[in-house]
Amino acid sequence: MWFAAFSNHCSLFPTASVVEAFKNELKGFSTSKGTIQFPTDKPLPTALVKKLVKARVSQNESKKRALSRSPKS
């Protein structure tokens, strides 16, 4: 998960799968494949950002568990 600040918006880069999973909650925000833009002239939707971060952390943990269960060569 990455973020960046610009003059008119802040961008969050949670990956395409997270953006897709939350597409209904992201209506009203500018999105692309793996990016969400939050305008700087409105309050940051902190509850939504927390959900996005938790979803991405969960993906990473699932991937880590799957890798640890895979047979070693």
Side-chain angles (χ1 to χ4, degrees):
M1 171 99 42
W2 301 271
F3 68 92
F6 301 92
S7 60
N8 295 325
H9 69 276
C10 295
S11 289
L12 190 64
F13 307 94
T15 71
S17 59
V18 173
V19 172
E20 178 64 25
F22 287 87
K23 67 182 176 186
N24 290 333
E25 291 182 64
L26 293 170
K27 287 181 180 169
F29 296 103
S30 179
T31 62
S32 65
K33 185 175 180 180
T35 307
I36 307 158
Q37 292 182 353
F38 299 102
T40 56
D41 63 346
K42 295 182 180 162
L44 188 66
T46 54
L48 176 57
V49 171
K50 285 179 184 181
K51 284 183 181 180
L52 297 166
V53 171
K54 286 180 181 182
R56 185 64 184 129
V57 167
S58 178
Q59 285 181 344
N60 284 342
E61 289 174 348
S62 294
K63 188 174 182 180
K64 188 176 174 181
R65 281 192 300 272
L67 288 173
S68 68
R69 282 188 250 134
S70 65
K72 299 189 184 202
S73 306

